[in-house]
Amino acid sequence: MDPLLCSYRNCSERMRIVRCCGPGDFFLERVVFPFELLTFHCPPSTDVQIWARESAGVVLAEQLSADSMAMEESDTVPRPAWLPQIPIRAVGVKGNASSVCLQRG
């Protein structure tokens, strides 16, 4: 099973925590700063949780599947890593946070 290349953009003015729990002891947790784009690899059946700090404490702001956050991959020549990626559409938009699919090539 090939891992998915996923992305998440924090469109809020506060830090978010992205937590991924997948099959076979897969676990990934990252802090995403305001307006930062996080890209990561994970198994296809991974659950992705977005946590936010509110006045009542840390709350689960959004829950997505890795499949819905997957970036489109092209069979053409890959875009060099030093060039900026080009956003083509946002998916899973909820509140101020969204995941973004990026165009490659």
Side-chain angles (χ1 to χ4, degrees), residues 13 18 23 25 27 32 34 38 44 47 55 58 60-61 66 70 84-85 89 97:
E13 294 181 359
V18 175
D25 297 331
F27 183 79
V32 185
L38 171 71
D47 293 322
S55 58
V58 179
L60 179 61
Q85 299 294 306
R89 74 180 196 281

Side-chain angles (χ1 to χ4, degrees), residues 8 10 12 14-21 27-33 47-54 57-64 97:
Y8 171 78
N10 179 2
S12 75
R14 295 180 178 234
M15 288 189 305
R16 298 285 192 235
I17 298 170
V18 175
R19 183 176 295 158
C20 305
C21 299
F27 183 79
L28 174 74
E29 185 174 76
R30 295 288 184 269
V31 172
V32 185
F33 291 96
D47 293 322
V48 181
Q49 299 174 340
I50 311 300
W51 293 84
R53 183 164 180 93
E54 302 291 335
V58 179
V59 296
L60 179 61
E62 194 171 359
Q63 190 159 0
L64 304 164

Side-chain angles (χ1 to χ4, degrees), residues 7 17 23 25 28 35 41-42 45 48 54 58 62 66-67 72 77 80 84:
S7 68
I17 298 170
D25 297 331
L28 174 74
F35 310 107
H41 285 92
C42 64
S45 58
V48 181
E54 302 291 335
V58 179
E62 194 171 359
D67 296 322
E72 294 180 5
V77 177

